[in-house]
Amino acid sequence: MLPDCLSAEGEQRCRRLLAGATARLRARPAAAAVLVPLCSVRGVPALLYTLRSSRLAGRHKGDVRRVPAAAATPSPSWPHPVAQEAGSLCLFSFPGGKCDPADRDVVHTALRETQEELGLAVPEERVWGVLRPVHDREKATVVPVLAGVGPLDPESLRPNPEEVDEVFALPLSHLLQEQNQGYTHFCRGGHFQYTLPVFLHGPHRVWGLTAVITEFTLKLLAPGVYQPRLAGPELPRG
């Protein structure tokens, strides 16, 4: 059964578990930070994602990908491995971006970027804590910041079209269903490099570092319910 992640008890449990990492990592230098927005959509607990704008250039365009209609529905054998070239790994699908010298810490970076991208102002007191940092192929540190943003209608948001094409929420109950979970083998030059989790929803595939952060979040929010398919996410080491 899905625990009540949005209850006061659930929030306090998560804050306690994250307190040590938050105190240790909040002010530590990092390349970037993302906000992991835990919200309620029509009473259903969900995580908020962005589909990064096609106008953005470079390797940080997004880890939420549209997939062809023929591949949008899991087959009975799903989850199955899907080979990808390591060079296609991108960085952001939760709102976030590079740390600015004027930012006080990674929490400030995540909140600032979320307001700039989505027009969503999240008070600092809504932040539950800092999750385990992840690293991209160039070993840049990206710090996920978990926040409870409360009841939300994604369609009411006015995202910056220069940065975001679409905003959507995935219910925790959907992410926790085994048929919506998979994994991806990343390759470089035809050789296996590492394996990361994948989450599937209709035309959307959440993968790369965003999927790793999603997995960290599910482990925190639903201990004993979420069963990772991998013993531990093997992150790229360059």
Side-chain angles (χ1 to χ4, degrees):
M1 179 180 295
L2 178 65
D4 187 357
C5 306
L6 301 180
S7 68
E9 293 79 7
E11 176 179 344
Q12 289 305 313
R13 181 187 67 83
C14 291
R15 285 180 180 268
R16 284 195 303 271
L17 291 173
L18 295 176
T22 302
R24 186 174 67 255
L25 299 170
R26 179 167 182 160
R28 185 176 296 180
V34 298
L35 191 74
V36 182
L38 175 62
C39 59
S40 171
V41 180
R42 293 184 291 276
V44 176
L47 295 180
L48 192 70
Y49 294 88
T50 67
L51 187 64
R52 306 296 287 185
S53 173
S54 56
R55 299 178 181 86
L56 290 178
R59 64 187 178 88
H60 300 326
K61 287 177 61 177
D63 287 332
V64 177
R65 297 292 184 90
R66 287 187 178 275
V67 296
T73 303
S75 67
S77 60
W78 177 267
H80 53 79
V82 181
Q84 298 286 352
E85 283 295 319
S88 67
L89 181 62
C90 302
L91 189 57
F92 302 126
S93 290
F94 288 117
K98 293 181 180 179
C99 294
D100 188 277
D103 292 339
R104 295 189 302 274
D105 51 35
V106 292
V107 170
H108 184 252
T109 298
L111 298 181
R112 173 183 56 77
E113 286 283 342
T114 298
Q115 184 159 20
E116 291 176 2
E117 292 179 14
L118 304 181
L120 177 62
V122 180
E124 191 167 329
E125 58 266 24
R126 293 286 188 90
V127 172
W128 291 12
V130 172
L131 296 166
R132 173 181 165 186
V134 295
H135 302 86
D136 68 10
R137 290 185 298 110
E138 297 182 1
K139 299 183 180 180
T141 301
V142 182
V143 180
V145 177
L146 179 65
V149 301
L152 187 68
D153 177 6
E155 295 183 2
S156 69
L157 297 174
R158 295 294 178 263
N160 180 349
E162 295 299 318
E163 298 192 57
V164 175
D165 277 343
E166 186 178 349
V167 183
F168 62 98
L170 291 185
L172 296 183
S173 58
H174 175 90
L175 293 167
L176 290 168
Q177 291 177 12
E178 186 175 309
Q179 65 266 30
N180 300 321
Q181 303 166 6
Y183 58 95
T184 302
H185 293 321
F186 286 82
C187 303
R188 180 183 299 165
H191 299 286
F192 170 77
Q193 294 288 307
Y194 49 88
T195 300
L196 296 181
V198 176
F199 297 90
L200 195 65
H201 177 68
H204 300 292
R205 188 186 299 250
V206 180
W207 70 319
L209 295 186
T210 300
V212 174
I213 295 170
T214 298
E215 180 162 276
F216 291 167
T217 305
L218 294 177
K219 287 180 180 179
L220 174 71
L221 296 177
V225 178
Y226 177 65
Q227 301 296 329
R229 298 203 156 270
L230 307 174
E234 293 295 326
L235 300 183
R237 298 183 182 275

